[in-house]
Amino acid sequence: MSWLESLILGLVQGLTEFLPISSSAHLRLTAAFAGWHDPGAAFTAITQIGTETAVLIYFRKDIARILSAWFGSLFGKVPRSDHDAQMGWLVIVGSIPIGVLGVTFKDQIEGPFRDLRLIATTLIVMGIVLGIADRLAARDETGGKHRAVRHRKGLKELGVKDGLIFGLCQAMALIPGVSRSGATISGGLLMGYTREAAARYSFLLAIPAVLASGVFELKEAGEGHVSWGPTIFATIVAFVVGYAVIAWFMKFITTKSFMPFVYYRILLGIVLVVLVSMGVLSPHAGESAG
């Protein structure tokens, strides 16, 4: 991998990680369209450490409060009924599905799941799901001529059952094109949570999963399957860009809908289907190891 490739892929990772459009799919597509080798699941996992570091810094106060309350609850210094202590447990519970499925389907994630035909399908299908979830949320928030405004849940109303459902939604993002934030936010909206609550829990839930995955994949770099220099550079770029994106996104969702992302996902998926169907782009473009 060249330094130019690492710069561009780092920018793509930072720009797309927190938006509901799938960073793994965009890394894969960037390489395919540019004629580069597929950066691979290991590169994606490691560069996500950069974007998750941005999450750690952006939500540092929330994370510090949750960790303090969670550890305090272990030693009886904080009531287990405390919201922040419970949130610590809910993040752990919600991380179980992706941990189990990530290990179970590791070979598929690094191989067949990266087929461009599958990516196109998941872009379109999950785009439609996100659109439906967003419309339901908008209807509840604004009401209508013959419908009253309906209460939507916040994180204080999050329980173990919903936490596990969030976790299962997050696990779907193991397939490129689904989108970690897109799947978890869609799940949250369909369960009746506000946009902000769904997005906030989505980002907090991603921290242990992404960091664990990135650390696990570091051994691939040590074995020579990933170039250290360009990968570290891409990770730093992803961190800087990712921090700016998450700050913008959290403000955006308080007043705007997700429909622009829905239209983008569906359009990109259709374009990809057409290109592959016409033979312009191979479904396995760039898959050879580089």
Side-chain angles (χ1 to χ4, degrees):
M1 178 182 293
S2 70
W3 291 98
L4 176 61
E5 288 179 46
S6 66
L7 171 62
I8 294 175
L9 292 174
L11 286 170
V12 171
Q13 169 64 27
L15 286 170
T16 59
E17 172 66 17
F18 303 116
L19 304 181
I21 56 177
S22 180
S23 61
S24 57
H26 279 75
L27 288 173
R28 177 79 177 85
L29 291 175
T30 300
F33 283 122
W36 301 335
H37 293 298
D38 179 0
F43 175 86
T44 301
I46 294 172
T47 54
Q48 282 179 336
I49 293 178
T51 47
E52 286 312 304
T53 301
V55 173
L56 290 173
I57 295 177
Y58 187 86
F59 290 109
R60 60 189 180 278
K61 294 181 180 179
D62 298 52
I63 295 170
R65 191 177 65 250
I66 290 171
L67 286 175
S68 176
W70 182 76
F71 278 111
S73 69
L74 294 178
F75 301 100
K77 296 181 179 180
V78 176
R80 292 187 178 181
S81 59
D82 180 83
H83 169 66
D84 289 323
Q86 290 182 337
M87 184 58 66
W89 286 111
L90 289 170
V91 169
I92 294 173
V93 169
S95 300
I96 294 175
I98 197 170
V100 174
L101 295 176
V103 173
T104 304
F105 295 101
K106 184 177 185 298
D107 292 338
Q108 287 80 4
I109 295 168
E110 297 180 349
F113 285 1
R114 301 183 74 78
D115 188 301
L116 295 183
R117 291 166 296 189
L118 177 59
I119 291 176
T121 301
T122 54
L123 281 170
I124 295 171
V125 172
M126 288 307 300
I128 294 173
V129 172
L130 178 61
I132 293 172
D134 186 73
R135 289 299 187 188
L136 290 174
R139 185 182 66 181
D140 289 347
E141 292 167 356
T142 60
K145 186 176 181 180
H146 303 292
R147 186 184 298 110
V149 174
R150 182 179 177 184
H151 169 72
R152 289 211 141 232
K153 295 183 285 188
L155 288 185
K156 289 189 176 181
E157 297 166 86
L158 180 65
V160 174
K161 178 184 176 181
D162 286 357
L164 277 173
I165 294 176
F166 266 111
L168 288 170
C169 292
Q170 176 180 239
M172 292 173 59
L174 291 170
I175 304 174
V178 171
S179 170
R180 185 188 309 275
S181 63
T184 50
I185 290 173
S186 294
L189 294 179
L190 291 173
M191 287 188 288
Y193 287 88
T194 65
R195 290 188 179 90
E196 185 177 5
R200 186 172 291 270
Y201 184 61
S202 170
F203 293 152
L204 293 175
L205 187 61
I207 294 173
V210 172
L211 293 181
S213 175
V215 171
F216 179 78
E217 293 291 356
L218 283 174
K219 67 181 181 63
E220 297 290 334
E223 294 173 359
H225 300 305
V226 177
S227 302
W228 270 109
T231 300
I232 293 175
F233 177 58
T235 303
I236 294 172
V237 172
F239 160 72
V240 175
V241 176
Y243 186 88
V245 171
I246 193 174
W248 171 83
F249 186 64
M250 291 304 294
K251 293 180 180 178
F252 175 86
I253 60 175
T254 58
T255 57
K256 307 292 183 180
S257 79
F258 291 113
M259 292 312 294
F261 304 113
V262 172
Y263 298 140
Y264 173 77
R265 287 183 64 104
I266 295 175
L267 178 61
L268 178 60
I270 292 174
V271 169
L272 190 54
V273 168
V274 172
L275 292 177
V276 173
S277 299
M278 295 178 62
V280 176
L281 198 62
S282 167
H284 306 289
E287 280 191 354
S288 56

